[in-house]
Amino acid sequence: MKQNNHQKGAQYEGIAARYLERNGYLILEQNYRCHYGEIDIIAEQQGTLVFVEIKYRQSDRYGSPSTAVDYRKRRHISRTALHYYSYHGYEQEKPCRFDVIEIQGRKIRHLINAFEYEE
């Protein structure tokens, strides 16, 4: 039976979550949604909130998976992260960053601090 996009997304987000946990991250949320958008994984590592976008491609025929995280996508993630940050009452001094995890075939590449907050 062929998987739909939602099922594929959940599968690769699970792979990414396990990867993060093995590398010392605490998963706080998966598929966090608000009216601004969605963040695939919200985790914490050594006191830093980490907002993670997961991108999968079967091959590099159309470029690396992270190229799909364009300005528009970064802006939605940034706004959603700000909503999460304020809704959960984090202090302004709480550090955070934006990571991208690329999954290409069986290869995982973690881009730490992949982009800055976008207005």
Side-chain angles (χ1 to χ4, degrees), residues 13-72:
E13 287 165 13
I15 290 168
R18 288 188 297 279
Y19 166 86
L20 289 169
E21 288 174 330
R22 282 193 311 271
N23 286 282
Y25 291 74
L26 173 65
I27 305 299
L28 302 175
E29 301 264 354
Q30 285 188 251
N31 298 313
Y32 177 78
R33 286 183 172 88
C34 72
H35 58 282
Y36 293 112
E38 177 187 352
I39 296 176
D40 294 328
I41 296 175
I42 301 172
E44 189 166 350
Q45 182 204 34
Q46 299 175 348
T48 298
L49 272 178
V50 184
F51 301 99
V52 185
E53 177 68 9
I54 313 304
K55 287 297 175 192
Y56 168 78
R57 287 203 176 143
Q58 205 163 6
S59 74
D60 62 357
R61 183 175 181 177
Y62 300 105
S64 71
S66 64
T67 59
V69 186
D70 59 8
Y71 171 76
R72 189 172 151 260

Side-chain angles (χ1 to χ4, degrees), residues 12 48 61 66 68 82 90 97 101 114:
Y12 292 109
T48 298
R61 183 175 181 177
S66 64
L82 182 60
Y90 287 106
R97 70 172 197 252
I101 292 183

